[in-house]
Amino acid sequence: MNVLSQATAFGGMQGVFSHPSEACNCDMTFAVFVPPQAIKEPRPVLWYLSGLTCTHANVMDKGEYRRMAAELGLIIVCPDTSPRGNEVPDELTNWQMGKGAGFYLDATQEPWAENFQMYTYVTEELPAFVAQHFRVDMSRQGIFGHSMGGHGAMTIALKHPDRFKSCSAFAPIVNPSTAEWSVGAFEKYLGAGKAAWRQYDACSLVEDGARFPEFLIDQGKADAYLEKGLAPWLFEAAIKDTDIALTLRMHERYDHSYNFISTFMDDHLAWHAERLV
Amino acid sequence: MNVLSQATAFGGMQGVFSHPSEACNCDMTFAVFVPPQAIKEPRPVLWYLSGLTCTHANVMDKGEYRRMAAELGLIIVCPDTSPRGNEVPDELTNWQMGKGAGFYLDATQEPWAENFQMYTYVTEELPAFVAQHFRVDMSRQGIFGHSMGGHGAMTIALKHPDRFKSCSAFAPIVNPSTAEWSVGAFEKYLGAGKAAWRQYDACSLVEDGARFPEFLIDQGKADAYLEKGLAPWLFEAAIKDTDIALTLRMHERYDHSYNFISTFMDDHLAWHAERLV
């Protein structure tokens, strides 16, 4: 493990680390906040998955999670959103594809399959690595994220209801199979056959029988992507005849930025802590 | 006034604006957070001056001031640290001089004097502009800052004890006339004659009779610049036989970064609110 930076914050430690990833076939960077309570005992871990164009750094810099995480004793892990490096394929002029746009799936199509194995990375390789290097209680895990990362969090929770005790999302892409900004990427990563897309689509997963007890979703009504990319009402419709509980909060005047996320970060951390701590 | 961005945050508004500055002879950018209470009535204003290499954006992104400012009803204004633009002189390989290093003084030496009038900008031009465009109660002003901006806040408060009701600083340069990272800049901006430096040096100002009732200073003990650039004990010594009160808090393990600043931001906002609200 390579320590890129470490600093004391809110009595705990905010660090940035990198390690060689077998799944992604490149070095991967991630951020970890360790609360002061972890000196005494292993603490619950909360995975934050970021949105398109982001790295681990956006939420670390702008998410304002440390004060409350320190109070509640939560370890926060923030992975990158894609493989990185000169050897990794990309579409330089397309922010919805390639670097910064891994969509938390395992690509099956060339040239992407060689590196874009973010599902395996985030659900297997990184958790094993974090469990080895930090004082995490892996029996108490929650997952959340923003936009593309909200999609990641919800699909991963739906496929691992026994592993995660809590899931929430800020402005998630709940139906990437139809959303304007993900259809192109899904086709390139997974091929034209839409059957393979369903395992990475929260609405499709629910239709196909996947279950998770409850979700918290916050969504800004001034979000420019609300209608064509996010549309949380599609998830509301998908769970209608299930026992999945959804707390969907629509907020006047809030956009898609970290101004929105940081405003409701405390609520999300408290939501997870109620189910984890 | 040019609106560069505006977003809802914590029930208020975080905006970034620019305007032509007469003092600096260029366009200047600044950030303003307006709390929700300002819809009803003019609110107190707190000026945050940033450190070397920063723009208005560092504290806006990483300072974590919005939640508490919204709670307390404080308007937070964050100016840039220097004039900007292709016409403005700079020393490209020297981060302690030129752009990003205005030191909140009025330069008298060429080629700097034409643009580097940050003292006039921050104490006259920007306040007049903010008073005109935002719902600020200019009878209730506080000032704080970080590092070079802590120097700015303390010297400006010492010279305007009637205007400011409160002053605090994170890891301030209290004695730039002797600190390793400011002596070179002071000489270039103000000339070799050290008499002219004293008006921009908190320790010298106190020695020369300037007074401000009380200061709050937080300082990390793991700050790499503590010994040679900051040395808050010099200010402690300078005020020894005066009636100036100083709350100086030294914090184990904290460095010079926004991890440190954001950790103690709430305390500073509360300090100011007690004296302003």
Side-chain angles (χ1 to χ4, degrees), chain A residues 8 10-11 61 67 253-254 263, chain B residues 10-11 61 67 253-254 263:
Chain A
T8 299
F10 292 93
D61 290 347
R67 185 185 52 82
R253 297 190 293 122
Y254 283 90
T263 298
Chain B
F10 292 92
D61 290 347
R67 185 186 53 82
R253 297 190 293 123
Y254 283 90
T263 298

Side-chain angles (χ1 to χ4, degrees), chain A residues 6-12 14 60-62 64-67 252-255 257 259-260 262-264 266, chain B residues 6-12 14 60-62 64-67 252-255 257 259-260 262-263 266:
Chain A
Q6 264 186 316
T8 299
F10 292 93
Q14 176 65 62
M60 180 178 79
D61 290 347
K62 303 181 184 179
E64 305 193 15
Y65 57 75
R66 279 173 290 272
R67 185 185 52 82
E252 299 287 346
R253 297 190 293 122
Y254 283 90
D255 66 15
S257 75
N259 286 296
F260 159 64
S262 60
T263 298
F264 299 104
D266 280 6
Chain B
Q6 263 186 316
T8 300
F10 292 92
Q14 176 65 63
M60 180 178 79
D61 290 347
K62 304 181 183 178
E64 305 193 16
Y65 57 76
R66 280 173 289 271
R67 185 186 53 82
E252 299 287 346
R253 297 190 293 123
Y254 283 90
D255 66 14
S257 75
N259 287 295
F260 159 64
S262 60
T263 298
D266 279 6

Side-chain angles (χ1 to χ4, degrees), chain A residues 209-250:
Chain A
R211 293 292 180 267
F212 194 79
E214 48 180 348
F215 294 93
L216 166 64
I217 294 178
D218 277 312
Q219 173 64 55
K221 292 176 82 167
D223 186 326
Y225 307 106
L226 178 54
E227 296 290 335
K228 293 193 173 170
L230 303 169
W233 44 85
L234 296 178
F235 190 69
E236 210 168 24
I239 63 166
K240 196 164 178 261
D241 296 318
T242 73
D243 55 357
I244 296 173
L246 171 64
T247 303
L248 171 60
R249 309 191 303 180
M250 302 293 292

Side-chain angles (χ1 to χ4, degrees), chain B:
Chain B
M1 185 166 70
N2 188 15
V3 180
L4 301 182
S5 71
Q6 263 186 316
T8 300
F10 292 92
M13 185 279 301
Q14 176 65 63
V16 180
F17 310 92
S18 74
H19 66 138
S21 161
E22 215 170 283
C24 295
N25 202 16
C26 66
D27 277 2
M28 291 295 286
T29 300
F30 62 96
V32 178
F33 176 72
V34 180
Q37 297 88 337
I39 294 170
K40 285 198 192 149
E41 55 178 19
R43 297 299 304 177
V45 57
L46 186 51
W47 305 85
Y48 179 91
L49 305 184
S50 292
L52 284 162
T53 77
C54 290
T55 68
H56 68 282
N58 301 66
V59 68
M60 180 178 79
D61 290 347
K62 304 181 183 178
E64 305 193 16
Y65 57 76
R66 280 173 289 271
R67 185 186 53 82
M68 185 61 99
E71 194 175 300
L72 299 170
L74 297 171
I75 291 169
I76 313 282
V77 184
C78 307
D80 202 346
T81 55
S82 77
R84 302 281 175 180
N86 292 333
E87 307 301 309
V88 172
D90 198 11
E91 292 187 0
L92 284 177
T93 58
N94 182 1
W95 58 276
Q96 300 174 348
M97 188 68 204
K99 291 179 197 172
F103 277 96
Y104 307 102
L105 51 74
D106 285 345
T108 56
Q109 306 298 301
E110 294 313 320
W112 312 103
E114 176 84 359
N115 302 99
F116 287 79
Q117 302 293 320
M118 286 299 290
Y119 183 78
T120 295
Y121 176 70
V122 163
T123 61
E124 293 177 26
E125 190 175 20
L126 185 59
F129 192 80
V130 165
Q132 193 186 336
H133 288 89
F134 298 89
R135 298 200 74 195
V136 290
D137 176 353
M138 295 297 274
S139 71
R140 292 184 290 168
Q141 297 185 57
I143 191 164
F144 68 149
H146 171 229
S147 197
M148 177 182 76
H151 139 75
M154 292 172 70
T155 54
I156 289 170
L158 282 163
K159 290 195 271 188
H160 298 87
D162 295 335
R163 186 193 299 184
F164 296 102
K165 295 192 187 305
S166 55
C167 180
S168 74
F170 304 97
I173 306 174
V174 298
N175 189 207
S177 305
T178 65
E180 228 175 49
W181 59 8
S182 41
V183 168
F186 270 46
E187 188 159 343
K188 288 171 190 164
Y189 287 134
L190 301 171
K194 292 198 175 179
W197 300 14
R198 299 185 68 81
Q199 62 182 306
Y200 301 116
D201 183 306
C203 289
S204 305
L205 280 165
V206 170
E207 286 163 19
D208 294 347
R211 293 292 179 266
F212 194 80
E214 48 180 349
F215 294 92
L216 166 64
I217 294 179
D218 276 313
Q219 173 65 54
K221 291 174 84 167
D223 187 326
Y225 306 106
L226 177 55
E227 296 292 331
K228 292 192 174 172
L230 303 169
W233 46 83
L234 296 177
F235 189 68
E236 212 168 22
I239 62 167
K240 195 163 179 265
D241 296 318
T242 73
D243 55 357
I244 297 173
L246 171 64
T247 303
L248 171 59
R249 308 192 303 183
M250 302 294 290
H251 301 280
E252 299 287 346
R253 297 190 293 123
Y254 283 90
D255 66 14
H256 200 64
S257 75
Y258 273 93
N259 287 295
F260 159 64
I261 298 170
S262 60
T263 298
F264 299 103
M265 180 59 77
D266 279 6
D267 291 355
H268 283 245
L269 296 183
W271 167 278
H272 288 276
E274 272 174 32
R275 289 151 183 85
L276 291 173
V277 178

